[in-house]
Amino acid sequence: TSLHPTAQKRLINFILEQSKKKKLQTIISTHSPDIIDGMPREAIKILYENLDTGKVNIIENVYPDNAFLHIGRSFSNKKTIIVEDNFAKLIVDKILEDINDDGLFDVKFFPGGESRIKQENMLVYSKEEDYKHYVLFDGDQKLSKTDILEISDANKNIKYLEGLIKKTIGEDIKFNHDSGRPEQKVDLMLKYIKYHHDCVFFLPEEIPEEIIWDDDVLKKADIESFEKDEIMSLNNYKSKFSLFAKYNLGNNTAKYQEQAFEYFLKRWIGKKNHNYQDILSTLDNIKKA
C-alpha cells in the first residue's frame, strides 16, 4: 500500500481481472482508502478489536467512505441530512447507527421546522447548487415532484413557476433577485425545483411519532390498564406520546416526551419493519446521489 495511488489502481484492476478470469476469491488486507475506493459495500469488511472483550469483531457491508473510521481516519466529505425536528433526527441517527453508517452523515434540525427549511435552507442550497445537503421531510410534506426537463420552454416564466413551486411544496417562496431581471428569478426558480426533485426526500408516515408507535409496546409497559386504554383511545400520535410520558415517567414536558419517544424507538429499531426498510432505502438513495 506504499505504492502511488495510480499504481495501486492498476494492481487492483489486475487482481480483479485475474479473479474473474480464474474464478478466484481474493482477500486483501489494507489501510489504504485508495485500494477500496469504488468497491461495492458487500466486498468490504472491517476487523477491529473490541476493547471490552479483547476479541476481534467484524462489521460487514460497509461503504468505502465509512470503512476507516474505526482505525482513526475521519471522513471529512460527509453529506448533511436536514430534518424537521429532534424526533426525526433520533430515528435517522438510530438507523444509521444500526447499519454502521453513522460516520457518513451529519443529521441536523433547526428551530422553525419545515417552513424555515423551505424558505431558507433550500433557497441557499439550490442557488449554490449544493448537492451535499439533503432534506428529509416528514411524510405530511409529500405533495409532488417535478423534473425540470419536463417543463417546456413556454412554461419557464415566473407566473407558471410560482404556481408549480406552491403546488410542489405547499407555500410561496420569495426569491431575491435584481429588479428588472425576470430571467434571473426564473433561473433561481428552476434551480429550486431541481433541488427539490433531486435532494428532497420524505419519511414514510406523516410524523415521526407515527413511524415508531407500537400498540404492543404500550401493552407491555409498566402502567395501569386504564391508562393504557386511555392512550389507545387517542387518534393523535403526539398526544399518545405525551400521555404515555405522563403516566410512565410522571411528567409530559418536552424532556420526558423525548424519553418516551426513545423508549419506543429502542424497541422499534430491532423489529426492522416496513417503515424501517422504507427509511433505509431512502438513506441508500442519498448515499448514491
Side-chain angles (χ1 to χ4, degrees):
T1 57
S2 60
L3 294 172
H4 187 277
T6 302
Q8 289 183 21
K9 287 294 184 185
R10 290 174 181 169
L11 175 60
I12 291 300
N13 287 335
F14 173 77
I15 293 173
L16 288 173
E17 289 173 4
Q18 294 301 309
S19 297
K20 289 189 288 186
K21 181 178 179 181
K22 300 181 180 181
K23 298 182 179 180
L24 300 174
Q25 182 182 40
T26 305
I27 299 175
I28 301 172
S29 174
T30 181
H31 282 193
S32 170
D34 297 302
I35 291 290
I36 67 167
D37 183 36
M39 284 188 175
R41 62 183 298 178
E42 293 82 7
I44 301 173
K45 303 179 189 296
I46 298 174
L47 279 70
Y48 70 99
E49 182 183 4
N50 185 317
L51 298 179
D52 294 327
T53 65
K55 295 181 179 180
V56 175
N57 287 358
I58 300 176
I59 299 176
E60 301 187 78
N61 295 320
V62 183
Y63 278 87
D65 294 331
N66 204 20
F68 290 91
L69 293 173
H70 282 279
I71 60 172
R73 179 181 181 269
S74 63
F75 176 49
S76 60
N77 197 31
K78 287 184 179 180
K79 292 178 179 178
T80 299
I81 299 176
I82 309 297
V83 295
E84 290 186 39
D85 58 31
N86 190 45
F87 286 169
K89 174 176 165 57
L90 286 170
I91 290 175
V92 176
D93 278 338
K94 195 68 174 177
I95 292 179
L96 289 172
E97 178 186 339
D98 191 49
I99 62 174
N100 297 301
D101 277 348
D102 45 316
L104 287 179
F105 298 98
D106 283 325
V107 184
K108 298 180 179 180
F109 74 96
F110 303 102
E114 50 85 16
S115 186
R116 180 179 174 184
I117 294 171
K118 295 173 184 176
Q119 298 287 348
E120 297 180 15
N121 297 79
M122 288 173 59
L123 265 177
V124 173
Y125 303 150
S126 62
K127 181 179 179 180
E128 296 180 354
E129 298 181 278
D130 178 348
Y131 288 82
K132 284 179 60 180
H133 287 82
Y134 295 80
V135 176
L136 184 55
F137 281 127
D138 294 351
D140 62 356
Q141 297 301 312
K142 189 173 183 178
L143 300 177
S144 65
K145 278 180 173 284
T146 300
D147 188 337
I148 63 169
L149 296 178
E150 298 175 356
I151 302 174
S152 67
D153 289 340
N155 285 330
K156 291 178 180 178
N157 59 76
I158 291 175
K159 183 178 181 181
Y160 177 83
L161 296 178
E162 282 178 341
L164 181 60
I165 289 173
K166 186 165 186 179
K167 176 184 175 183
T168 300
I169 67 167
E171 58 187 271
D172 295 316
I173 300 296
K174 182 179 179 181
F175 294 89
N176 294 320
H177 66 291
D178 296 336
S179 59
R181 294 189 60 190
E183 72 281 358
Q184 186 183 61
K185 184 174 182 178
V186 167
D187 181 61
L188 292 173
M189 297 171 88
L190 289 171
K191 286 181 177 179
Y192 191 93
I193 294 167
K194 177 174 172 53
Y195 180 86
H196 182 273
H197 180 270
D198 295 347
C199 298
V200 174
F201 299 84
F202 303 91
L203 291 171
E205 304 290 353
E206 290 197 355
I207 57 175
E209 290 88 345
E210 185 178 358
I211 293 173
I212 68 165
W213 181 264
D214 190 332
D215 287 344
D216 290 335
V217 172
L218 173 65
K219 292 174 183 177
K220 295 175 182 177
D222 187 20
I223 59 176
E224 299 292 340
S225 295
F226 75 89
E227 294 172 333
K228 294 176 183 178
D229 291 340
E230 185 179 354
I231 295 171
M232 287 281 287
S233 70
L234 299 174
N235 294 321
N236 185 288
Y237 288 94
K238 289 183 182 291
S239 298
K240 285 177 181 285
F241 275 100
S242 177
L243 198 55
F244 179 82
K246 177 182 177 181
Y247 288 147
N248 192 55
L249 302 171
N251 196 311
N252 65 345
T253 58
K255 172 185 175 182
Y256 290 95
Q257 287 190 46
E258 182 173 321
Q259 289 181 20
F261 190 88
E262 290 176 334
Y263 178 91
F264 276 77
L265 179 59
K266 181 179 179 180
R267 290 152 180 79
W268 175 82
I269 200 74
K271 294 187 176 182
K272 296 180 173 48
N273 64 7
H274 63 285
N275 280 335
Y276 177 102
Q277 299 300 332
D278 192 298
I279 298 171
L280 192 64
S281 176
T282 297
L283 292 173
D284 200 47
N285 287 334
I286 295 175
K287 292 171 194 171
K288 296 174 182 177

